[in-house]
Amino acid sequence: MSADGQSGDGQHKPASERVRVRRRPARADYDPAAAYRVLDEALLCHVGLVIEDFPHVMPMLHVRLDDTLYFHGAPANRALGTLASGAPVSVTATLLDSLVLGRSAYENSVNYRSVMAFGQARPVVDEAVKRQVMTRLLTRLLPPERLDEVRPLSSRELSRTTVVGLVLAESSVKARTGPAVDAREDLDARVWAGEIPFTPGLGTPVPDGLGPWTVSVPESFKGWTGPPNL
């Protein structure tokens, strides 16, 4: 599969050598705003860190407030405990935009946007900040009106939730755009070439059937297109 393609504006410098893109550097973008856009659109990221002398990479929900990326979970979660201890961490997130089809078996690829960040997370102890993070996460995953339909978060629930924040001081974006880079001699071939966009979406809501009441699907979900990357 070919990995050719274009992206990046080259107008910002990497915050550190750790985030410098070495393979196809023209695709790199070191503008923090570019990293924010990818992270805001991605529903999941992957967190890499060492736990008990062994590398782990875990998918985690995330939410960004200003220049900080937040994660949450149960206090017993080993990964969050390791993050809260200030251990070095890397975070990646990738958005797949389209299949890229060329005129040969070799020249096929995908267009994508990806971000990588490094740093050390810190625990969030202020209840107001924790509530802000959790509220932002809920409105990111669900229609904003959903918060008015359900019981709000309690202080006890917040106290039973670990929240850690990672300042996005070291990050880079790498992206591919455009068509396949076919060999000149293949351009005359009578073969279709182009892009097929990825267009995921939501299915029909399915009730859990556990409560004693039959409740209609809320209006807030009608016409809702889903979280940001759907």
Side-chain angles (χ1 to χ4, degrees):
M1 303 291 279
S2 171
D4 257 316
Q6 307 268 343
S7 196
D9 59 13
Q11 301 192 10
H12 292 80
K13 294 183 179 180
S16 71
E17 285 302 306
R18 293 197 294 189
V19 296
R20 182 184 295 278
V21 175
R22 292 171 173 79
R23 174 66 175 165
R24 301 193 183 279
R27 296 186 185 179
D29 193 338
Y30 301 109
D31 183 357
Y36 297 166
R37 287 192 293 269
V38 174
L39 289 167
D40 289 350
E41 190 172 343
L43 187 60
L44 286 171
C45 65
H46 286 82
V47 178
L49 69 168
V50 175
I51 302 175
E52 296 178 357
D53 298 324
F54 198 82
H56 291 66
V57 177
M58 291 148 293
M60 300 183 76
L61 293 171
H62 65 275
V63 65
R64 182 186 65 85
L65 295 177
D66 298 323
D67 66 347
T68 303
L69 198 65
Y70 292 95
F71 309 98
H72 80 287
N77 185 301
R78 286 195 309 164
L80 282 173
T82 304
L83 284 171
S85 72
V89 59
S90 66
V91 176
T92 61
T94 301
L95 300 169
L96 295 176
D97 293 322
S98 62
L99 286 172
V100 180
L101 307 180
R103 294 171 175 79
S104 69
Y106 180 74
E107 291 296 346
N108 296 278
S109 188
V110 293
N111 282 338
Y112 66 90
R113 290 162 287 152
S114 64
V115 62
M116 176 173 284
F118 295 95
Q120 293 174 285
R122 292 291 183 266
V124 175
V125 296
D126 185 283
E127 181 176 311
V129 176
K130 290 177 70 173
R131 186 176 294 277
Q132 183 183 15
V133 168
M134 297 303 294
T135 299
R136 177 69 184 95
L137 178 63
L138 289 171
T139 56
R140 171 172 151 79
L141 296 176
L142 303 170
E145 300 85 357
R146 182 63 174 167
L147 291 184
D148 296 328
E149 299 170 352
V150 298
R151 176 180 62 77
L153 287 166
S154 68
S155 294
R156 181 172 180 270
E157 288 168 331
L158 282 176
S159 68
R160 297 171 59 188
T161 303
T162 295
V163 176
V164 299
L166 172 69
V167 176
L168 295 166
E170 293 182 77
S171 65
S172 62
V173 169
K174 188 176 182 182
R176 187 199 189 283
T177 60
V181 186
D182 279 320
R184 185 178 298 275
E185 59 269 23
D186 289 330
L187 293 178
D188 291 333
R190 296 180 65 86
V191 177
W192 187 91
E195 298 178 44
I196 303 177
F198 288 110
T199 56
L202 294 176
T204 302
V206 179
D208 63 11
L210 297 178
W213 308 102
T214 299
V215 181
S216 300
V217 175
E219 290 294 324
S220 60
F221 286 95
K222 296 179 180 179
W224 183 56
T225 57
N229 68 335
L230 296 177

